[in-house]
């Protein structure tokens, strides 16, 4: 894993303070988990493919898993 995480899209609701706090919490979650140790086998599978994470602040719903993104739901 290399490079800083890149936000490619966002759709946040709520007032400005709520949106700011949510963005800060998502950034802290990534800082806590990165860098991800990649085993040689997993690295061979990944190659140069990007890993896409999606932070969602709603109840888990199967409809969110419509693609290969990894969806991270907020705790209830």
């Amino acid at each position: 894993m290399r490079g800083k995480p890149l936000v490619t899209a966002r759709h946040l609701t709520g007032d400005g303070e709520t949106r700011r706090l949510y963005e800060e919490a998502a950034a802290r979650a990534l800082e806590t988990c990165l860098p991800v140790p990649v085993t040689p086998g997993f690295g061979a599978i990944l190659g140069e493919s990007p890993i896409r994470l999606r932070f969602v602040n709603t109840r888990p719903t199967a409809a969110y898993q419509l693609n290969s993104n990894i969806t991270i739901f907020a705790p209830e």
Side-chain angles (χ1 to χ4, degrees):
M1 303 291 263
R2 59 178 179 238
K4 182 180 176 185
L6 174 66
V7 176
T8 58
R10 72 182 76 168
H11 175 77
L12 300 173
T13 59
D15 61 35
E17 179 68 3
T18 301
R19 291 192 307 267
R20 183 186 66 76
L21 290 171
Y22 190 83
E23 287 183 342
E24 288 177 1
R28 266 194 319 277
L30 289 175
E31 289 169 6
T32 301
C33 297
L34 296 175
V36 174
V38 178
T39 64
F42 187 49
I45 292 168
L46 279 177
E48 293 292 321
S49 301
I51 297 174
R52 294 177 178 89
L53 301 177
R54 182 176 181 210
F55 288 85
V56 178
N57 195 22
T58 60
R59 294 179 146 267
T61 305
Y64 280 121
Q65 291 300 125
L66 297 175
N67 52 34
S68 61
N69 293 347
I70 299 169
T71 301
I72 302 169
F73 290 97
E76 293 188 39

